[in-house]
Amino acid sequence: MKKIILLIAIICLIGKQSYSQTTFKEKIKNFDDICFCNVGLAHPKNILKLDNNMELLFALKTGKTLREIGKSGIKYTDSQIKLLLLSGLIEKKDSIYKAKVPILSTIETVQLREATKKMAKDIVPLILDDYKLLTKTLISQGLEKNTFSIFFAYVLDGLVWTILENNKDIEETNITSDKPFWDGTFWMIEPKRNFKCGTNSLSSGDYTINVNWSDVSIISVSNYDLLGEFLNDFKENGKITKAEILKEFENNGLFNKNGELQIPVFKADSTDIIYSQSENIAKKVVAYLINKIDYTTLLSDFSGLSKGQKITIIYHEIMWDIISVMEENGQIKKPVAFGKPKEAKPQDLKDLIFIVKD
């Protein structure tokens, strides 16, 4: 308990200070910060938002002594350094402080994405027949418009990670007394992609509701707390019954006038055809990631990264490249909310949401 109080006190002390970072913020505005992590006391992004912690992190990309930091004109306090050390964002060896967060410059990112685009082009033919089968299944069930989100959010951004974790190809992320803030892989990369999307998930017992999101989309879930209640209501009653939930999502097409769901609901079970076809695709992606990539030659400038962390960073790029390659080939089409965001209507939200029962 004393340790946690001390850590919180450090955050509070730093929060009272203020530095001008206008120039630095301009410099890093095209960086993406990505965290594949489990969060405890604080998300690394929130720690880096305090004062000029982000500027300190970038200054320490290649390692510096405190004296060298001071000479560079960057202001800092002892409590800032302690917080960055305690939260695992920097490390100290002898008198050298160095960022533990990989920071990929434009040159490094271009090189990495050239490699991952080639990998994606190798993967797409391996999974194409299974993808076509999944598409046919979804069409037969009246779920054609959900194809993109199930393929990306459930297969590429879901089952692939699950299999990698189950096979221990990537490390588990756990909050412990040694890692009370966060645990996982966090990195900075420039430039931002023109398009990327991700997945938000909420669980209730053995049910999980998944939302495919993208920054380009104008429509989104209006209230995630009520979406959680939406899931509970469905789990208990087999449909939506509560007036507040019906009113909140009445324009999104998630259910009909009787409260019956109009979004995909399927089981994570080999007897469910959507699941079994999705799993077949995910297994082939994982097989490529593990057997066809030489991780010793990738991200070689970041010696502190484990193989699992490299897989995490590289696959994040590959999964978006797979979408890009398939779109270029005319094999997949973005939902209206992502492909034509200005034309999207509230009911198009239903194309981005599905429920899975474990």
Side-chain angles (χ1 to χ4, degrees):
M1 182 62 70
K2 289 181 179 178
K3 183 175 182 180
I4 293 176
I5 291 172
L6 172 62
L7 297 177
I8 294 173
I10 291 172
I11 296 175
C12 292
L13 283 171
I14 295 175
K16 293 179 180 179
Q17 301 169 27
S18 176
Y19 297 108
S20 174
Q21 292 185 312
T22 304
T23 302
F24 178 71
K25 285 181 180 179
E26 183 70 20
K27 179 180 178 182
I28 67 163
K29 68 179 182 180
N30 205 29
F31 270 88
D32 251 337
D33 44 25
I34 306 172
C35 194
F36 188 82
C37 58
N38 194 350
V39 177
L41 287 177
H43 196 291
K45 291 183 183 180
N46 292 335
I47 295 171
L48 292 172
K49 285 178 182 177
L50 294 171
D51 304 305
N52 65 332
N53 283 348
M54 183 72 81
E55 187 177 17
L56 273 172
L57 184 78
F58 271 71
L60 298 176
K61 177 179 178 179
T62 56
K64 282 183 173 63
T65 64
L66 293 182
R67 186 176 181 181
E68 287 172 331
I69 297 173
K71 283 186 175 181
S72 69
I74 298 173
K75 295 181 179 180
Y76 70 91
T77 64
D78 290 342
S79 55
Q80 278 181 279
I81 298 297
K82 287 178 182 177
L83 178 59
L84 292 172
L85 286 169
L86 288 168
S87 61
L89 293 170
I90 67 172
E91 62 184 349
K92 180 185 178 184
K93 290 184 179 179
D94 297 324
S95 61
I96 304 296
Y97 293 82
K98 187 176 181 180
K100 290 182 72 175
V101 175
I103 301 171
L104 279 72
S105 66
T106 298
I107 294 174
E108 291 166 326
T109 301
V110 168
Q111 291 175 341
L112 178 64
R113 287 179 178 165
E114 284 176 353
T116 59
K117 187 71 175 283
K118 290 178 182 177
M119 294 170 192
K121 288 181 177 179
D122 288 340
I123 292 172
V124 168
L126 301 177
I127 64 173
L128 191 56
D129 287 344
D130 292 296
Y131 169 75
K132 289 179 179 178
L133 286 174
L134 176 62
T135 300
K136 287 181 180 178
T137 296
L138 295 173
I139 291 173
S140 71
Q141 296 187 20
L143 301 172
E144 181 178 5
K145 289 186 176 181
N146 297 94
T147 300
F148 181 96
S149 292
I150 288 177
F151 177 64
F152 179 85
Y154 188 59
V155 180
L156 299 184
D157 198 27
L159 287 176
V160 171
W161 294 118
T162 299
I163 296 170
L164 288 170
E165 288 173 349
N166 290 343
N167 293 346
K168 300 189 184 304
D169 293 311
I170 59 177
E171 296 86 353
E172 290 184 14
T173 58
N174 298 302
I175 301 303
T176 65
S177 58
D178 292 330
K179 294 182 178 180
F181 286 95
W182 65 282
D183 185 35
T185 306
F186 178 67
W187 67 101
M188 307 283 299
I189 188 165
E190 178 190 44
K192 295 178 180 179
R193 283 180 173 264
N194 292 329
F195 174 81
K196 68 173 185 176
C197 58
T199 313
N200 290 335
S201 300
L202 295 172
S203 295
S204 177
D206 53 358
Y207 284 86
T208 300
I209 189 165
N210 303 273
V211 181
N212 191 191
W213 60 265
S214 175
D215 290 338
V216 304
S217 179
I218 295 173
I219 62 167
S220 61
V221 172
S222 56
N223 188 322
Y224 270 93
D225 288 337
L226 278 181
L227 189 68
E229 291 300 316
F230 175 108
L231 183 61
N232 286 330
D233 195 7
F234 170 73
K235 185 180 73 168
E236 293 171 7
N237 301 298
K239 63 179 184 178
I240 304 305
T241 64
K242 296 182 179 179
E244 185 181 13
I245 300 170
L246 290 167
K247 182 178 181 181
E248 183 71 26
F249 298 108
E250 64 182 345
N251 296 322
N252 296 134
L254 306 185
F255 42 77
N256 62 21
K257 63 181 180 179
N258 298 317
E260 297 164 336
L261 295 197
Q262 302 297 296
I263 58 175
V265 180
F266 56 93
K267 295 180 181 179
D269 184 296
S270 59
T271 61
D272 189 295
I273 190 169
I274 293 177
Y275 174 80
S276 60
Q277 291 176 342
S278 297
E279 186 183 42
N280 287 339
I281 299 171
K283 284 181 175 178
K284 290 181 179 180
V285 174
V286 170
Y288 184 93
L289 295 175
I290 301 307
N291 301 318
K292 299 297 184 181
I293 300 176
D294 181 3
Y295 291 95
T296 62
T297 63
L298 296 165
L299 299 172
S300 56
D301 289 339
F302 302 93
S303 57
L305 291 174
S306 67
K307 181 179 178 181
Q309 289 176 312
K310 286 188 176 183
I311 291 172
T312 299
I313 294 171
I314 290 165
Y315 178 59
H316 261 89
E317 296 296 326
I318 290 174
M319 69 180 186
W320 290 318
D321 283 328
I322 288 173
I323 293 297
S324 175
V325 170
M326 292 180 70
E327 191 174 24
E328 288 170 7
N329 294 343
Q331 296 157 340
I332 197 169
K333 185 178 180 180
K334 292 190 184 86
V336 173
F338 298 170
K340 297 179 179 179
K342 293 182 179 179
E343 298 178 18
K345 299 176 182 178
Q347 60 264 34
D348 292 316
L349 183 66
K350 72 176 182 177
D351 302 341
L352 311 177
I353 299 179
F354 57 93
I355 293 174
V356 183
K357 184 180 186 296
D358 290 327

